[in-house]
Amino acid sequence: LRLNHSGRYSCKGRVDYWRWGHSVPVKLTVKGVPLSGVSLSVQPPGGQVALGDRLVLSCAVATGTGPLSFSWHREGSGALLGTGPCLELHHAGDKDSGRYHCQASDGDSVAESPTLNVTVL
């Protein structure tokens, strides 16, 4: 089901050869599920990456009604780092060390992941 499936529904059926019958309409309301259980995972595991190597952070939502949007943040940096479910640093640099988190939104609510510490060695 999707949120736009809310509405009034009825059915129609043949009672006998000549007659059709109609059911009483019923109202169906589809409600969204609030976002919860936002989590982070990282490759390589542990959040430690060698200088110049690739680092991938992934954001996941345990429950919630889509469509979802994501944003990536690092403590101390006001800049938006990315907007997809994954944040990829192709060549990790000294300035990439820090505490990262993602935010997920379904358009009605926003949920934030715990922070994950990334260390560039």
Side-chain angles (χ1 to χ4, degrees):
L1 285 174
R2 296 188 186 266
L3 294 174
N4 66 347
H5 290 144
S6 293
R8 296 179 62 77
Y9 289 85
S10 64
C11 64
K12 175 180 169 182
R14 192 181 293 270
V15 176
D16 59 33
Y17 187 77
W18 300 105
R19 293 183 304 153
W20 287 86
H22 297 270
S23 70
V24 175
V26 294
K27 182 179 178 183
L28 174 70
T29 303
V30 180
K31 295 183 179 182
V33 176
L35 294 175
S36 67
V38 180
S39 62
L40 286 183
S41 59
V42 61
Q43 284 295 332
Q48 293 188 340
V49 61
L51 185 66
D53 281 357
R54 180 174 170 253
L55 176 79
V56 179
L57 299 168
S58 299
C59 189
V61 176
T63 61
T65 304
L68 300 176
S69 61
F70 298 90
S71 62
W72 287 92
H73 310 273
R74 184 177 66 234
E75 283 183 8
S77 167
L80 176 65
L81 304 175
T83 58
C86 293
L87 176 67
E88 185 172 349
L89 305 176
H90 295 282
H91 303 285
D94 291 329
K95 294 181 181 179
D96 292 323
S97 290
R99 297 174 58 80
Y100 288 76
H101 70 274
C102 72
Q103 289 181 336
S105 174
D106 62 4
D108 292 323
S109 62
V110 175
E112 194 170 290
S113 73
T115 59
L116 186 124
N117 195 43
V118 170
T119 304
V120 179
L121 306 170

